[in-house]
Amino acid sequence: MSPSDPTAANDDSRLDRLLTPEEQARFVGIASTLTFPDRGQPVYHEGQLADALYFIERGMVETSCQAEEGERQIVAFLHPGDLFGLFENQRYVNTARTLAPALLLRLPLDALHRLLAEDAQLQLHFLAKAAHDLRRSQRQLIVLGRQDVRRRVASFLLELVQHHDTYDPDTGIVALPMSRTDIADYLATTAESVVRALTLLEKEGLIQRLSPKAIRLLELKRLMRLAVF
Amino acid sequence: MSPSDPTAANDDSRLDRLLTPEEQARFVGIASTLTFPDRGQPVYHEGQLADALYFIERGMVETSCQAEEGERQIVAFLHPGDLFGLFENQRYVNTARTLAPALLLRLPLDALHRLLAEDAQLQLHFLAKAAHDLRRSQRQLIVLGRQDVRRRVASFLLELVQHHDTYDPDTGIVALPMSRTDIADYLATTAESVVRALTLLEKEGLIQRLSPKAIRLLELKRLMRLAVF
DNA sequence: CGGAGCATTGAATTGCATCAAGGCACGTGG
DNA sequence: CCACGTGCCTTGATGCAATTCAATGCTCCG
């Protein structure tokens, strides 16, 4: 899979795809299953005592940091196969919330720590996943820093294209499970500016808004030229 | 050490401080020493075949991503104890350059991989370091996304305060080894805007410019109120 | 009992006024 | 000489307010 082809679903990022069947068994062995039937349910809050990591089986999750007043920065939109639960000094550094009905695996830290300490091969996969997340965070850094809102929105759309659960290559339609405000909090702008950027991209013929939560991509190549790779 | 006290030098981020003497010995065993006598020397370039990670013994390094035209985003300023060399598909994703004369340890990937695969304890420290870098990247994300230039500069100054090599707690003076342009490329703004922000902070009585490369912090607490924690 | 039509509510969208940041040109100082 | 610093003008993004749209639940009727 070429990293520069955004239409290729990005399975490298899925931790479970990296694991051998035996590793998966040990991994699942320490996990408990959590079901979140609704959208918008909190998994944990910033500052809360961290006792587990979470793995997404189905659904989507956002992790965010809340500043004092209304200021919220969404750090990541997470898809099936992603791992989350970053902490510092035993406390979660983000707030995690479901964006859609979700099925999560809960991995208690003590059991996970024991597992990784006695299985260096499995741990290497966690290290690879961490490296992947670091690259993703750095890419987001560049998107926020170096691009106007129109390009940021283009980069965001192409990010969704990478995932099976938000893109149908046959129809060219991306699903946007999150609200305009969520997108704005992710791209460090406002809901209005996101809408204005979408309007612009539509006028340019690059996309077509089918509904607020479904957008058809008409010119993938021209979108890619706008985005960060 | 409290994480919210920016005057406390942040040794948690130093990989070598995490290691036991035996681990350090094995770590150094696979390494070769590299000396960069000058400022501005490249360690590796974006896209180059990745065959090693690097550990900073002395000096400072910046990692950056170059967009097509002049656009450059500095992803991180790295200090002694930091590790760098992030890659994807065998290729470095950043360009690394010395900011000051530097002494680096070069860790060949194949040897490092063998070492980590047979020493889960040592690998756990690498995982902890990766988590640390991920947090740092997320914090930078928030700085870029949610703050005006004045606050970004304040956050940047407080970041330098965390490190022994750029801050003297006795005099309250931070050293800025990098140019205004470098700072601008790190904070996703322009050299002029960085200067204007410094001018403003000085007029407000928060800082005092001693020279372009040395700034005395007069009101640490008020600076902290401007910055991201 | 099921379904069409209507009401309600929150989200999405648009226009307009304002402002902080960027770009350029020039001056300054180590 | 190169990097730093400053004034002036331009521009793109934001905030506010008004309007449209869409999804949901409800009622009423067949």
Side-chain angles (χ1 to χ4, degrees):
Chain A
M1 169 174 38
S2 162
S4 61
D5 177 7
T7 63
N10 188 0
D11 281 344
D12 285 356
S13 66
R14 294 202 52 155
L15 179 64
D16 50 348
R17 299 291 166 85
L18 297 174
L19 303 184
T20 64
E22 310 92 69
E23 287 173 337
Q24 283 193 38
R26 268 169 289 177
F27 180 73
V28 173
I30 64 165
S32 56
T33 304
L34 286 182
T35 309
F36 292 82
D38 296 328
R39 177 202 142 80
Q41 290 185 281
V43 181
Y44 56 75
H45 285 283
E46 194 173 341
Q48 195 174 309
L49 211 62
D51 53 356
L53 298 190
Y54 296 86
F55 175 83
I56 305 183
E57 281 280 341
R58 284 204 311 270
M60 275 187 78
V61 171
E62 52 154 64
T63 55
S64 63
C65 288
Q66 192 84 32
E68 326 70 67
E69 352 81 44
E71 305 283 303
R72 186 179 66 134
Q73 175 68 47
I74 292 183
V75 170
F77 290 126
L78 301 165
H79 295 257
D82 279 334
L83 201 63
F84 64 96
L86 192 64
F87 57 91
E88 177 164 34
N89 297 122
Q90 315 252 323
R91 309 252 164 208
Y92 290 118
V93 297
N94 304 310
T95 296
R97 215 186 90 199
T98 61
L99 276 177
L103 183 65
L104 305 183
L105 289 187
R106 185 176 183 284
L107 305 162
L109 281 182
D110 48 2
L112 183 61
H113 190 275
R114 275 195 300 275
L115 184 59
L116 294 182
E118 69 194 21
D119 186 344
Q121 283 303 322
L122 177 60
Q123 193 187 163
L124 273 173
H125 295 307
F126 274 74
L127 199 51
K129 178 65 177 157
H132 182 273
D133 289 348
L134 185 54
R135 285 193 300 267
R136 206 175 53 70
S137 178
Q138 289 193 359
R139 203 173 72 85
Q140 181 65 1
L141 204 75
I142 294 165
V143 170
L144 294 196
R146 290 294 150 197
Q147 314 220 240
D148 58 21
V149 177
R150 173 164 144 276
R151 290 181 160 210
R152 270 180 266 174
V153 169
S155 295
F156 167 70
L157 290 174
L158 287 175
E159 215 175 297
L160 294 181
V161 167
Q162 308 270 128
H163 297 274
H164 294 113
D165 56 334
T166 47
Y167 183 64
D168 180 347
D170 300 328
T171 60
I173 296 176
V174 265
L176 309 170
M178 67 294 287
S179 72
R180 296 291 186 262
T181 303
D182 289 336
I183 299 173
D185 287 350
Y186 180 57
L187 298 178
T189 179
T190 60
E192 293 96 320
S193 291
V194 171
V195 170
R196 283 186 268 259
L198 288 174
T199 305
L200 196 58
L201 290 174
E202 193 165 37
K203 275 181 186 154
E204 294 176 312
L206 298 181
I207 65 170
Q208 179 190 7
R209 278 180 289 191
L210 306 175
S211 84
K213 303 233 174 292
I215 292 179
R216 186 192 303 277
L217 306 188
L218 302 173
E219 297 275 1
L220 218 46
K221 285 178 185 170
R222 284 169 62 202
L223 274 175
M224 286 170 62
R225 237 172 287 141
L226 293 179
V228 170
F229 296 102
Chain B
M1 167 175 42
S2 160
S4 61
D5 177 7
T7 64
N10 187 1
D11 282 343
D12 285 355
S13 66
R14 295 204 50 158
L15 180 63
D16 51 349
R17 300 292 165 86
L18 297 173
L19 304 184
T20 65
E22 309 92 70
E23 287 172 338
Q24 283 192 38
R26 266 169 290 176
F27 179 73
V28 173
I30 64 165
S32 57
T33 304
L34 287 182
T35 308
F36 291 83
D38 297 327
R39 176 202 141 81
Q41 291 185 281
V43 182
Y44 56 75
H45 284 284
E46 192 174 341
Q48 195 174 310
L49 211 61
D51 54 356
L53 296 191
Y54 296 87
F55 175 84
I56 306 181
E57 281 280 342
R58 284 203 311 269
M60 275 188 77
V61 171
E62 53 155 66
T63 55
S64 64
C65 288
Q66 192 84 33
E68 325 71 67
E69 351 81 43
E71 306 282 302
R72 186 178 65 134
Q73 176 67 48
I74 293 182
V75 170
F77 289 127
L78 300 165
H79 295 256
D82 279 333
L83 202 64
F84 64 97
L86 192 63
F87 57 90
E88 177 164 34
N89 297 121
Q90 315 252 324
R91 308 253 164 207
Y92 290 118
V93 298
N94 304 308
T95 297
R97 217 187 87 199
T98 60
L99 276 177
L103 184 64
L104 306 183
L105 290 186
R106 184 176 183 283
L107 305 162
L109 280 183
D110 49 3
L112 184 61
H113 190 274
R114 276 195 300 274
L115 185 59
L116 295 182
E118 69 194 21
D119 187 343
Q121 284 302 322
L122 177 61
Q123 194 188 163
L124 273 173
H125 295 306
F126 274 74
L127 200 51
K129 178 65 177 156
H132 182 274
D133 289 348
L134 186 55
R135 285 193 300 268
R136 206 175 53 70
S137 178
Q138 289 193 359
R139 202 172 73 84
Q140 180 66 0
L141 204 75
I142 294 166
V143 170
L144 294 195
R146 292 293 149 198
Q147 314 219 243
D148 58 21
V149 177
R150 173 165 144 273
R151 292 183 158 209
R152 270 180 266 176
V153 170
S155 296
F156 167 70
L157 290 174
L158 287 176
E159 213 175 298
L160 294 181
V161 166
Q162 308 271 126
H163 296 275
H164 294 113
D165 56 335
T166 47
Y167 183 63
D168 181 347
D170 299 329
T171 59
I173 297 176
V174 263
L176 308 169
M178 67 293 286
S179 72
R180 297 290 185 262
T181 303
D182 289 335
I183 299 173
D185 287 349
Y186 180 57
L187 297 178
T189 179
T190 60
E192 293 96 320
S193 291
V194 170
V195 171
R196 285 187 266 259
L198 288 174
T199 305
L200 196 57
L201 290 174
E202 191 165 38
K203 276 180 185 153
E204 294 177 311
L206 298 181
I207 65 171
Q208 179 190 8
R209 277 180 289 191
L210 306 175
S211 82
K213 302 235 174 291
I215 293 180
R216 185 191 304 276
L217 306 188
L218 303 173
E219 296 276 2
L220 217 45
K221 285 178 186 169
R222 282 170 61 202
L223 273 176
M224 286 169 61
R225 238 171 287 141
L226 292 179
V228 170
F229 295 103

